[in-house]
Amino acid sequence: MATPEYKLAFDGGWEYDPAPESTDHISVRKRYGLFINGEFVAPEKGRYFDTINPANEEKLSRVADASEADVDKAVRAAREAYRTTWGRMKPAERGKYIYRIARIMQERSREFSVIESLDGGKPIRESRDVDIPLAAAHFFYYAGWADKLEYAFPGRSAKPLGVAGQIIPWNFPLLMAAWKIAPALACGNTVVLKPAETTPLTALKLAEVIAEAGLPPGVVNIVTGAGKTGAALVQHPGIDKIAFTGSTNVGRIIQKALAGTNKKYTLELGGKAANIIFADAAIDQAVEGIVNAIFFNQGHVCCAGSRLLVQESVADEVIAKLKDRMETLIVGDPLDKNTDIGAINSMMQLEKIQSYLKIGKAEGAEMHQSSCRLPKRGYWCRPTIFTGVSQSNRVVQEEIFGPVLAIQTFRHHDEAVMKANNTPYGLSGGIWTDKGAKIFKITQSLRAGVIWANTFNKFDPTSPFGGYKESGVGREGGLHGLDAYVKLGAQ
Amino acid sequence: MSAKKNRRIAVAKTYKIYIGGKFPRTESGRYFTLEDKQGNVIANLCRSSRKDFRNAVVAARKAQPGWAKASAYLRGQILYRTAEMLEGRREQFVAELVLQASTQRAAEQEVDLSIDRLIYFAGWTDKYQQVFSAVNPVNSSHFNFSVLEPTGVVSMLVPDSSSLLGLISNVAPAIAGGNTCIALASESKPLCAVSFAEVLHAADVPGGVVNILTGFRSELTEFFASHMDVNAVIYCDGGKAVAKTVQELAANNIKRVIARSRMDWSGDAENPYLIRDTQEVKTTWHPIGN
């Protein structure tokens, strides 16, 4: 492990005292059934699986494994609710239900934050300040659209699709549930949602909120399970729309599976975003931006800035400062408020990241990791950078989904753009410079759906999110996110 | 075509394909014959191959960034110029439609609608962005806006029955929005598509922006749907089997798939959502420091 050339002067001896968030105010049941037709029911085949805390590998709860029969039951409930209640309700009343969800989530935000960090491994600072507030805000934003849809599509009438099947990933469990459910409900659809198998708990807590908000039974159904459950949902003939967030490989399988059906779909898939640092950038801010881009949420972010493109003249300085800054990152207990980087979400993901570390080294890149201590139990990965990589290296082309950054240099902005665009992905990108014209030139040239200029990894309910090329189809968030949940017709 | 009065021998037109602003014959050397109701040969057309399609994709990809960078005003003027050129050749297109079994009246109507449709989309080039883009009031100290950008290269299996109007109703909105395209002409009525390529050429549409092939739909559909450097595929009609094939193959590179089946091309095809179908939404964030 290489040592940084100089260190930030903390004068040594300063240790952060543990500052753990307490868990005594949360309630997690020992076992969860499936949330179908407004109540928790046991799975048909009686199968359950464990959901564990990735920071200590201890079991948190047991969760139902939904079979085809369970999915069928959920879809039928959603169809019935669409036909009898939700689809017929006055839009303004629909909106009021969705506002209720937002308000209850805000009231219970602390509980949600803690459970999110327990089940998924992300630092409490992030679940508290990002995931949960944004999830509530998402419901609040789309609630207001329910009775205003005619203003969103000039010249057209917007009708609901029917029943939406929604499959979400484990990196932002509650936030992704909100991204999916809120616009679907606002547009008058009913929902069957499948959370990721490693992070089902906050979705099940959301089911409680939905019941508490008094939504008619069947409007939102939540079925837990793994890939098989998702496949049953995709293939169910009673579904009108599939919304999926996850890997490009699974997205491709889903797009193929939907071929020949009339199901609408949106896909939010993988990414390999380039974060481009120009010599005229504010370097210290850019270094903070790099850290936020790749180490936010352990790098389990589809739009993570997992490639750094740094202008050659400042490359040494940027990399030295980055290594220095990496040394200060605290990896450890997700519930500790001082923690910067939490636990890797699962053993499977840790193994995948580790295999990429081997691949990177085998391809000739130079690896550097911070020297932080790691807890003994649980799944952990030190913040990692690769230098000396070339465009064709797998760590440059493929999505690792961990705290691993591949660093390349460039001389001219055309070279930066060419390298940035040279992957099959096109989800996001970043640019750091103090020159306005350069910002516009580069942001226009990047083939990606979300571009952060002099910032990174910012999200908002009003801001459309989604990819170009193999990063997906469709947008979520904002006015443009409504499109995924309506069919447009002549007025 | 007849030489009854024995004045002069008519000069028959050779119908070729249109790739990268040039009119080559198919590299495969194959042809198919178009006959009138009496079985007389109207024309021999290029039976385009997979290689022709690949060449067309290369041409379309090469032309795309320049066309996307052309100002909306310029794209509008070029589309308008296309309408002007078509108006000037109105009689030729009517005659070709009649030759392909249309009535005089229906033919005239189709050509008139085609000209008007070009004008319609010419007028949208500098307006759809204003209708569909947004400034997003984010809950943080950032300026955030979403604009439309062309998705890139679009392949099109255009309608068989509406051979001119259907072609134009698919090509015009795609290129109005800065995409480049490859269209497979109507198989049963291919003449107007080739003549329309000449109109595009005369109207200064840059080479490669529109590429037009003739040939067999059953042979070429899979290539239009599967090519890895095509960003979106539009298919019109063809039934369930075609829909399934196109959608399955399109998934290889997560293509945008746009189905335009059972459209009423004379009425249903004038709205800016046809432009939006082949657009991407790009959202940009920047701090505003307050």
Side-chain angles (χ1 to χ4, degrees), chain A residues 116-442:
Chain A
E116 198 73 302
S117 284
L118 280 173
D119 201 20
K122 68 171 63 200
I124 186 73
R125 219 178 52 212
E126 290 178 13
S127 46
R128 183 193 65 196
D129 297 346
V130 181
D131 292 66
I132 310 307
L134 271 179
H138 224 83
F139 279 104
F140 201 85
Y141 173 75
Y142 277 108
W145 268 121
D147 58 354
K148 302 171 188 69
L149 293 174
E150 66 264 37
Y151 301 98
F153 302 99
R156 302 269 105 177
S157 78
K159 298 253 159 49
L161 298 167
V163 178
Q166 308 182 316
I167 300 169
I168 56 170
W170 43 259
N171 56 343
F172 296 92
L174 184 71
L175 183 58
M176 290 300 105
W179 278 32
K180 295 281 184 285
I181 295 173
L185 295 188
C187 294
N189 305 279
T190 56
V191 164
V192 179
L193 175 93
K194 189 198 89 68
E197 63 267 37
T198 60
T199 54
L201 290 184
T202 46
L204 294 164
K205 296 301 281 188
L206 176 62
E208 290 176 9
V209 169
I210 283 164
E212 193 181 328
L215 266 75
V219 172
V220 176
N221 304 276
I222 295 174
V223 290
T224 44
K228 267 189 174 174
T229 311
L233 193 54
V234 168
Q235 280 155 7
H236 197 290
I239 292 278
D240 299 296
K241 190 240 156 62
I242 289 289
F244 170 76
T245 297
S247 72
T248 292
N249 273 339
V250 176
R252 195 176 281 129
I253 292 166
I254 290 175
Q255 199 182 359
K256 272 187 210 280
L258 296 176
T261 71
N262 289 324
K263 291 174 195 165
K264 233 181 135 160
Y265 56 86
T266 37
L267 307 170
E268 301 286 1
L269 310 177
K272 194 73 191 180
N275 201 4
I276 305 171
I277 316 291
F278 283 94
D280 54 18
I283 296 296
D284 288 344
Q285 283 175 36
V287 169
E288 286 308 302
I290 296 165
V291 167
N292 179 44
I294 185 60
F295 301 129
F296 174 62
N297 199 30
Q298 298 73 250
H300 301 329
V301 184
C302 48
C303 53
S306 52
R307 291 185 289 153
L308 174 64
L309 294 173
V310 55
Q311 198 153 22
E312 207 174 83
S313 56
V314 291
D316 289 345
E317 181 190 355
V318 167
I319 293 168
K321 285 186 165 173
L322 176 62
K323 286 179 176 173
D324 192 21
R325 179 71 175 85
M326 283 162 64
E327 279 302 306
T328 68
L329 295 173
I330 300 170
V331 181
D333 182 7
L335 286 186
D336 192 308
K337 288 165 220 158
N338 293 323
T339 293
D340 297 301
I341 299 179
I344 299 302
N345 184 266
S346 66
M347 188 65 199
M348 210 169 85
Q349 187 57 28
L350 180 60
E351 282 169 357
K352 186 184 160 190
I353 295 167
Q354 284 167 344
S355 81
Y356 273 108
L357 300 186
K358 283 199 193 111
I359 290 166
K361 283 186 280 186
E363 282 181 327
E366 190 182 318
M367 187 174 90
H368 169 84
Q369 292 186 310
S370 78
S371 61
C372 63
R373 282 182 306 236
L374 298 181
K376 286 207 174 64
R377 293 183 66 200
Y379 315 132
W380 310 97
C381 181
R382 290 191 175 87
T384 305
I385 59 174
F386 279 111
T387 49
V389 297
S390 69
Q391 189 69 27
S392 60
N393 280 177
R394 286 182 64 189
V395 291
V396 171
Q397 288 290 324
E398 297 174 20
E399 185 176 45
I400 299 171
F401 225 63
V404 182
L405 178 69
I407 302 179
Q408 294 172 277
T409 60
F410 67 92
R411 291 185 178 178
H412 188 262
H413 59 76
D414 282 344
E415 185 190 354
V417 168
M418 195 187 69
K419 284 179 169 168
N421 285 337
N422 184 4
T423 78
Y425 296 113
L427 188 52
S428 63
I431 168 185
W432 297 80
T433 169
D434 264 358
K435 296 266 193 319
K438 203 185 273 178
I439 289 175
F440 281 106
K441 186 176 174 60
I442 304 298

Side-chain angles (χ1 to χ4, degrees), chain B:
Chain B
M1 284 203 129
S2 83
K4 257 184 207 162
K5 290 183 181 163
N6 208 16
R7 284 204 193 120
R8 65 183 283 275
I9 305 285
V11 179
K13 172 169 159 181
T14 307
Y15 285 86
K16 300 202 281 189
I17 55 179
Y18 186 50
I19 298 176
K22 298 212 158 44
F23 289 91
R25 290 194 172 83
T26 167
E27 61 79 37
S28 68
R30 303 175 308 173
Y31 71 100
F32 67 105
T33 302
L34 186 69
E35 296 177 346
D36 65 15
K37 276 188 222 157
Q38 287 74 40
N40 304 311
V41 173
I42 298 172
N44 290 315
L45 287 126
C46 292
R47 190 183 148 193
S48 302
S49 64
R50 177 187 194 168
K51 182 74 165 70
D52 293 320
F53 175 69
R54 288 162 64 171
N55 291 341
V57 173
V58 170
R61 177 59 68 197
K62 198 172 159 200
Q64 204 273 327
W67 181 242
K69 264 191 209 141
S71 70
Y73 181 43
L74 180 62
R75 291 203 305 271
Q77 289 185 97
I78 289 175
L79 271 168
Y80 188 87
R81 177 80 175 154
T82 310
E84 287 179 354
M85 294 292 104
L86 187 55
E87 179 85 38
R89 295 224 220 165
R90 189 172 173 280
E91 299 315 316
Q92 178 198 343
F93 281 86
V94 171
E96 279 176 346
L97 286 170
V98 170
L99 201 55
Q100 296 169 107
S102 175
T103 65
Q104 180 73 22
R105 218 185 122 186
E108 284 177 1
Q109 202 185 13
E110 180 166 353
V111 177
D112 289 348
L113 279 170
S114 299
I115 296 163
D116 292 352
R117 188 136 306 161
L118 286 166
I119 305 274
Y120 179 80
F121 283 108
W124 267 120
T125 56
D126 50 8
K127 295 168 193 71
Y128 71 86
Q129 186 71 261
Q130 292 175 306
V131 173
F132 292 129
S133 61
V135 172
N136 309 305
V138 294
N139 180 31
S140 58
S141 165
H142 295 91
F143 185 66
N144 174 303
F145 60 98
S146 299
V147 296
L148 264 53
E149 286 186 349
T151 198
V153 174
V154 182
S155 66
M156 302 174 174
L157 301 152
V158 300
D160 191 59
S161 53
S162 179
S163 70
L164 179 64
L165 182 59
L167 171 73
I168 286 173
S169 301
N170 283 289
V171 169
I175 67 171
N179 296 284
T180 57
C181 67
I182 308 101
L184 177 59
S186 163
E187 185 174 321
S188 66
K189 300 172 188 170
L191 298 187
C192 291
V194 179
S195 298
F196 183 63
E198 295 157 13
V199 165
L200 292 165
H201 201 63
D204 282 343
V205 176
V209 170
V210 181
N211 305 273
I212 296 177
L213 305 181
T214 54
F216 293 167
R217 195 154 161 162
S218 58
E219 178 189 354
L220 294 170
T221 293
E222 62 169 301
F223 310 129
F224 273 63
S226 64
H227 196 293
M228 293 296 277
D229 202 28
V230 170
N231 301 94
V233 55
I234 297 173
Y235 69 95
C236 306
D237 313 320
K240 268 205 160 178
V242 168
K244 191 163 194 295
T245 309
V246 169
Q247 290 171 14
E248 259 173 14
L249 294 170
N252 289 334
N253 64 337
I254 321 285
K255 267 185 207 70
R256 288 82 180 100
V257 183
I258 299 131
R260 291 183 182 153
S261 297
R262 293 193 294 277
M263 295 265 294
D264 170 16
W265 297 105
S266 58
D268 209 10
E270 286 195 348
N271 65 68
Y273 294 88
L274 294 169
I275 300 174
R276 201 191 58 160
D277 280 348
T278 48
Q279 297 290 310
E280 300 288 335
V281 177
K282 174 183 276 182
T283 301
T284 306
W285 294 68
H286 196 280
I288 49 175
N290 55 11

